Amino acid sequence: MSQNAITNKDTIINLMELYLSKWKLILVCVLIALTLAFLKIRYSTFLYEANATIKLKEDENSRSLSEISALQNGGMGSTLPNVLDEIEVIKSRSIITEVVRDLKLNIKFYVTGKVIKKEVYSNPPLSINFFMGDSLLENINTSIYIKIISPQKFELSKVNTNDLFEFDDGESTTHSFGDKVMSSFGEFVVTPNIGTYGSSPGSYVEINLKPVHSVVQAYLSGINISTTDKSNVIKLSLQESIKEKARLIIDKVIEKYNEDVIIDKEKIVQITSDFITNRLNVVSNELEQVDFTAENLQKNNRLIALGSQSNIFLESERETGARINQTSNQLQLAEFMGDHLQNNESESDLLPADIGITDSNVSQITKSHNDLVLQRDRILKNSSDKNPTVINLNNQIDALKGNLSQSIDNIITTNKITLNNLNKENSRIRSQIYSAPAKERQFRDIKRQQDIKESLYLYLLQKREETAITLGMSSANAKVIDLAYTSSIPVSPKKKIIYLASLLIGLFIPISLIYAKDLVDNKVYTKEDVLRIVKAPFIGDIPKSDLKHKVVKKVDYSPKAEAFRILRTNIDFMLQKSDVSCKTVFVTSTTAQEGKSHTTTNLASSFSFSEKKTLLIETDIRVPRVNDYLKIKFDKGLTDYISDKSLSIKDVTVKQKDNPFLDVIPSGTIPPNPAELLMSDRINNLFESVKKEYDYIIVDTAAVGLVTDTLLISNHADIFLYVVSANNIDKRQLHIAQTMYEEKRLPNMVTLLNGSVKKKGYGYGYGNNPQRNKKWYSKLLGRR
């Protein structure tokens, strides 16, 4: 494995250990995030989605009409209504407005709970009736706040003074249910619905009135309609806080759409019925005149017995007569249609459909014309006549009307030619019947006219009956495949997503903060931090301990005592090749407050507990701290010995009462010139003398990063302990230690990490402490 891979692995492990060491913070953040998520879900308004599916029915002539429209547009596509057009009709403002009015969606009732208010729709706790027209009520924008005092009385306010829905600071009036209440927007009566949710005394009810147009706008955005390509199936959906309300709205939208389509279809049927009725009146008058003429002819010429007709009426004459009748009918129907087109020039007029003209092109053009008129009228409900689509539809309507007029003219011309030819043929045949009396021929002409009028009259009667039957039988345009259905599972808020997001946020925030803090943190914490900067040997670390036990004891099972025993062993191992009888250990650091004196005192105590004669010399004569740990009493010290040549080493040496193997030379009086004192020859004499009497000499020195005192006496050391304080010193300050090591200014220099925090798992301490107090449950279980 490469060095980079090892380094990356160590970095990942260190990060994991860093995060695990802060597991309490992470757990608290996660719990807070989950609690907030729970409160969010608990007090959010749940939204439910209602879905319905419909299928648009397709007329039999839709395909042929689409082909005709495509040809009229030069093959560029159809402009007839399609699925997308019907979707726009369903979502039109006119239909949604009818839905809002029918379901009274502009009036909402809310029952206020302890934290949030809940809408009630199907069975509201109160009923409110206004003494005003719907047009005025539909434009009101206000809220009414009601507190139910008893089954007979209620308190009314127009201001919600606080979130708890109280009336302490707001103006309120007391009324009885059923009384007429005066307000700035009109009079109304409030009645209770006993037994419903929110109708009990002490309940708070909010009645919210919104203008219809704003409610319609909200539902225009809220109702979603979708379809797939090349399909007549349409899906409608709506999200509401009340399941029943969402279902009723979707069903009502479908109902109103079908009603609108049926009204459009009945318009065409009504136009056709009116046209046929007018034609019937005309034909009835003409038939009456022909009957009267035949009656007078019979009376004047005594043509009573006409049953004995001669064989001169050949079969060909009968066929010719039938063709004349048929041609005359078509000619008159075409003339009726032509007159209707000339007398009704408005673009908004619908044309009568299927009046009996046998030409299929006329029927198709009439159907196309009426469909375009209906489509344009739908668009004009929500637009103006300046709309490009409306202009385009008007142009198409004019073009179709022109084509229809031209077709009618062609039919009239053709039928006239045909009728003329038939009359000539009939004249030729009749001329051959020379033996027939002229009066009888005259009567036959009248009879033929009578038959023509009668057949046309009967045909129009039949058409009128068919139209009357169709008038009340128009079918809806949308077939309901699935009625609106609301799932019991809310679509919002989504519990799983919220809990997952809160869990991720609860993890992300503390981990990010820990990572950011670690990223900008330049303090030394671990052995690895020291070794990355200082290449000197690492001799050990001292764990952080409480302030109650500053100095280790002889019988001590604490991790700190064990750490100093390990340090003592490591020093002996590093100095085992040294041939000196007394081993001198100097202790220094980069700055003050890194634990030099603490390390010196406890290390000297640890050596003395092994029954080795140990001397502790405090050479940090600027800021002496050893006495803070040992609590010794002295009059003279090291500085007094250096400056006063009459003093001997024994005069400044203090014996420990409870430890016969430990002696201390304190710092003495703080001098004005510490560096000059340490350059005295008496320092050399001191070390030469004490090395003959002691096994170990532990020297507490000044910080090398602050003063030069330590370097002046460093030649007397067999080993230098360079103390680095964990969670205290900046990594950038360790360059001093590295410089000292590279330049070998501190003999046999090693680093020691002080105040380290041990991670969970193995640490210092092994075995049982006989003085340890056992837990009460350990005694009950018989555990050692």
Side-chain angles (χ1 to χ4, degrees):
M1 185 179 294
S2 64
Q3 186 64 32
N4 290 335
I6 295 175
T7 303
N8 293 335
K9 182 178 179 180
D10 291 342
T11 302
I12 295 174
I13 292 174
N14 291 335
L15 281 176
M16 294 303 297
E17 291 176 346
L18 174 64
Y19 297 143
L20 291 175
S21 66
K22 305 293 183 181
W23 66 271
K24 292 182 180 179
L25 172 62
I26 296 175
L27 179 60
V28 169
C29 292
V30 169
L31 292 178
I32 293 174
L34 293 177
T35 302
L36 294 176
F38 171 78
L39 295 176
K40 165 70 176 176
I41 296 173
R42 174 65 178 82
Y43 295 109
S44 291
T45 300
F46 283 52
L47 293 180
Y48 301 89
E49 185 174 78
N51 295 277
T53 306
I54 61 175
K55 180 181 179 181
L56 298 180
K57 297 178 182 179
E58 187 175 2
D59 295 336
E60 295 179 358
N61 297 326
S62 295
R63 295 181 182 177
S64 59
L65 291 174
S66 298
E67 294 174 357
I68 294 173
S69 180
L71 291 173
Q72 291 175 348
N73 290 317
M76 296 303 292
S78 174
T79 59
L80 294 177
N82 52 28
V83 176
L84 296 179
D85 295 333
E86 297 305 313
I87 289 177
E88 294 301 319
V89 174
I90 294 173
K91 289 191 66 175
S92 64
R93 184 175 294 274
S94 58
I95 289 181
I96 302 300
T97 301
E98 292 298 321
V99 173
V100 172
R101 288 172 176 166
D102 284 7
L103 298 179
K104 297 182 178 180
L105 299 178
N106 59 318
I107 303 177
K108 293 184 178 181
F109 294 85
Y110 295 95
V111 177
T112 301
K114 294 181 179 179
V115 179
I116 61 174
K117 60 183 181 181
K118 180 180 180 181
E119 182 183 357
V120 181
Y121 179 72
S122 298
N123 297 302
L126 303 173
S127 296
I128 184 169
N129 297 308
F130 293 90
F131 293 92
M132 65 179 72
D134 291 340
S135 58
L136 297 176
L137 181 61
E138 290 176 356
N139 294 314
I140 296 177
N141 185 10
T142 186
S143 293
I144 304 172
Y145 301 94
I146 295 176
K147 178 182 178 181
I148 300 177
I149 301 175
S150 67
Q152 293 80 28
K153 293 185 177 295
F154 66 93
E155 200 171 69
L156 176 67
S157 175
K158 293 187 290 184
V159 178
N160 187 7
T161 56
N162 54 42
D163 294 335
L164 296 179
F165 201 30
E166 294 289 346
F167 298 99
D168 296 340
D169 300 327
E171 297 180 0
S172 61
T173 55
T174 302
H175 305 273
S176 297
F177 287 112
D179 290 349
K180 184 181 294 185
V181 180
M182 298 292 297
S183 67
S184 58
F185 51 84
E187 300 177 348
F188 60 89
V189 173
V190 179
T191 56
N193 296 325
I194 305 300
T196 58
Y197 171 71
S199 62
S200 59
S203 299
Y204 298 94
V205 180
E206 176 186 346
I207 303 176
N208 185 259
L209 305 176
K210 290 287 185 182
V212 169
H213 65 85
S214 64
V215 179
V216 169
Q217 187 61 42
Y219 282 108
L220 285 174
S221 304
I223 297 176
N224 295 318
I225 303 178
S226 61
T227 185
T228 56
D229 294 338
K230 300 180 181 180
S231 173
N232 290 342
V233 176
I234 295 176
K235 295 182 179 180
L236 297 89
S237 64
L238 172 66
Q239 294 183 4
E240 270 284 351
S241 59
I242 302 176
K243 294 186 285 187
E244 182 68 13
K245 184 178 180 181
R247 184 185 65 79
L248 290 175
I249 292 174
I250 292 296
D251 285 341
K252 183 62 70 172
V253 168
I254 298 174
E255 177 186 336
K256 289 298 178 181
Y257 167 70
N258 281 331
E259 288 181 2
D260 183 71
V261 172
I262 290 174
I263 290 173
D264 287 344
K265 290 183 178 180
E266 289 184 349
K267 284 182 180 179
I268 298 177
V269 177
Q270 187 63 47
I271 290 295
T272 304
S273 177
D274 294 341
F275 174 80
I276 293 175
T277 300
N278 293 333
R279 294 302 98 191
L280 272 173
N281 294 332
V282 174
V283 173
S284 177
N285 293 331
E286 293 177 353
L287 181 60
E288 184 178 356
Q289 293 177 0
V290 172
D291 290 341
F292 183 75
T293 302
E295 182 181 355
N296 291 333
L297 182 63
Q298 287 181 339
K299 288 181 179 180
N300 295 331
N301 295 283
R302 299 178 180 179
L303 299 175
I304 304 301
L306 297 176
S308 58
Q309 297 180 352
S310 62
N311 293 328
I312 62 175
F313 296 104
L314 302 174
E315 187 66 24
S316 60
E317 185 185 16
R318 288 197 294 271
E319 292 178 358
T320 303
R323 293 178 62 188
I324 290 174
N325 290 339
Q326 181 180 1
T327 305
S328 297
N329 286 342
Q330 291 294 313
L331 179 59
Q332 289 194 27
L333 289 174
E335 289 174 348
F336 291 160
M337 191 66 174
D339 293 339
H340 181 78
L341 290 175
Q342 291 178 358
N343 296 329
N344 296 274
E345 293 294 332
S346 175
E347 295 175 348
S348 62
D349 289 336
L350 294 171
L351 298 178
D354 194 16
I355 61 174
I357 298 176
T358 58
D359 193 327
S360 60
N361 187 36
V362 172
S363 298
Q364 290 179 349
I365 293 176
T366 304
K367 176 65 175 176
S368 179
H369 173 274
N370 290 337
D371 288 344
L372 289 176
V373 170
L374 290 177
Q375 182 181 2
R376 183 203 58 198
D377 292 343
R378 288 183 186 176
I379 296 175
L380 285 174
K381 291 179 181 180
N382 301 301
S383 182
S384 65
D385 54 359
K386 302 299 182 180
N387 191 314
T389 303
V390 174
I391 296 174
N392 184 30
L393 290 173
N394 287 334
N395 294 334
Q396 295 183 47
I397 290 171
D398 294 338
L400 287 177
K401 188 174 288 186
N403 292 340
L404 182 60
S405 179
Q406 183 65 38
S407 298
I408 293 296
D409 293 339
N410 293 337
I411 291 173
I412 292 173
T413 302
T414 302
N415 285 329
K416 284 183 178 180
I417 294 173
T418 303
L419 184 61
N420 187 33
N421 292 333
L422 289 173
N423 287 328
K424 289 180 179 180
E425 179 66 18
N426 190 47
S427 298
R428 187 185 64 80
I429 295 174
R430 285 188 298 170
S431 64
Q432 296 178 0
I433 310 175
Y434 59 93
S435 59
K439 294 181 180 179
E440 188 174 357
R441 289 200 305 271
Q442 184 181 5
F443 178 75
R444 183 145 187 88
D445 290 338
I446 295 174
K447 185 68 171 69
R448 183 181 296 111
Q449 293 179 8
Q450 188 180 27
D451 292 341
I452 293 172
K453 299 296 181 181
E454 183 177 0
S455 63
L456 179 59
Y457 182 77
L458 294 175
Y459 177 78
L460 291 175
L461 281 176
Q462 179 184 356
K463 283 295 180 180
R464 186 176 69 175
E465 290 301 317
E466 292 177 355
T467 304
I469 295 173
T470 307
L471 186 61
M473 298 179 60
S474 298
S475 61
N477 198 35
K479 175 184 178 182
V480 179
I481 299 176
D482 290 323
L483 289 171
Y485 171 76
T486 307
S487 175
S488 59
I489 301 175
V491 295
S492 175
K494 297 184 180 296
K495 293 184 179 180
K496 293 182 179 179
I497 295 178
I498 291 177
Y499 277 122
L500 179 60
S502 63
L503 177 62
L504 294 177
I505 293 173
L507 291 172
F508 174 77
I509 291 177
I511 289 177
S512 299
L513 292 177
I514 293 170
Y515 179 76
K517 181 177 179 297
D518 181 66
L519 197 64
V520 299
D521 191 1
N522 286 320
K523 292 183 179 180
V524 175
Y525 292 97
T526 63
K527 168 186 174 181
E528 290 74 18
D529 294 336
V530 177
L531 292 178
R532 283 194 204 98
I533 302 173
V534 184
K535 305 306 179 184
F538 187 84
I539 198 169
D541 56 353
I542 306 300
K544 186 177 182 180
S545 60
D546 55 23
L547 299 176
K548 294 181 180 179
H549 305 92
K550 294 183 179 181
V551 184
V552 298
K553 300 178 181 179
K554 185 173 184 179
V555 181
D556 196 338
Y557 292 89
S558 65
K560 182 170 74 171
E562 195 62 39
F564 277 105
R565 294 187 186 104
I566 294 174
L567 178 60
R568 180 184 68 191
T569 303
N570 291 340
I571 291 174
D572 285 338
F573 177 78
M574 294 193 68
L575 297 178
Q576 64 181 347
K577 295 182 179 180
S578 177
D579 55 356
V580 296
S581 59
C582 178
K583 300 174 181 178
T584 306
V585 180
F586 276 45
V587 181
T588 189
S589 64
T590 304
T591 63
Q593 303 296 325
E594 288 199 66
K596 291 188 295 75
S597 301
H598 173 269
T599 303
T600 303
T601 304
N602 284 280
L603 182 59
S605 298
S606 181
F607 274 116
S608 66
F609 292 152
S610 63
E611 298 184 355
K612 300 291 184 181
K613 293 191 65 178
T614 306
L615 175 63
L616 191 156
I617 304 175
E618 188 174 16
T619 62
D620 188 358
I621 57 180
R622 297 174 186 264
V623 187
R625 294 292 304 277
V626 170
N627 198 41
D628 293 343
Y629 297 93
L630 296 179
K631 307 298 182 182
I632 59 176
K633 296 181 181 180
F634 63 92
D635 297 326
K636 305 292 183 180
L638 179 62
T639 56
D640 301 298
Y641 168 78
I642 298 173
S643 60
D644 189 355
K645 296 183 179 180
S646 63
L647 295 175
S648 64
I649 296 174
K650 291 183 179 182
D651 294 334
V652 296
T653 302
V654 180
K655 300 286 186 179
Q656 284 288 89
K657 294 181 180 181
D658 54 351
N659 190 350
F661 294 95
L662 178 61
D663 295 338
V664 181
I665 298 179
S667 61
T669 305
I670 298 177
N673 54 344
E676 287 73 11
L677 282 179
L678 292 177
M679 295 174 63
S680 173
D681 292 336
R682 286 179 65 83
I683 286 292
N684 298 329
N685 296 332
L686 172 65
F687 279 101
E688 291 176 359
S689 299
V690 296
K691 285 183 179 181
K692 298 175 182 179
E693 298 179 11
Y694 294 93
D695 297 318
Y696 292 93
I697 299 175
I698 311 301
V699 182
D700 182 20
T701 66
V704 295
L706 301 177
V707 293
T708 187
D709 298 359
T710 303
L711 298 177
L712 297 176
I713 58 174
S714 61
N715 59 309
H716 298 288
D718 294 324
I719 187 172
F720 249 97
L721 295 185
Y722 198 101
V723 178
V724 178
S725 177
N727 196 23
N728 184 15
I729 188 172
D730 195 299
K731 295 177 183 178
R732 292 169 291 186
Q733 293 178 291
L734 289 182
H735 73 278
I736 297 174
Q738 178 62 16
T739 301
M740 294 292 177
Y741 178 72
E742 290 177 351
E743 298 178 358
K744 300 186 183 302
R745 303 183 67 181
L746 301 179
N748 205 8
M749 173 182 161
V750 294
T751 55
L752 173 70
L753 183 64
N754 180 45
S756 62
V757 179
K758 284 297 175 183
K759 305 178 183 67
K760 286 190 174 183
Y762 290 100
Y764 293 107
Y766 181 77
N768 292 324
N769 184 355
Q771 300 177 351
R772 181 184 63 186
N773 293 326
K774 294 184 178 180
K775 302 292 184 180
W776 61 270
Y777 53 82
S778 299
K779 295 179 181 180
L780 290 176
L781 297 175
R783 295 180 179 176
R784 297 180 59 185

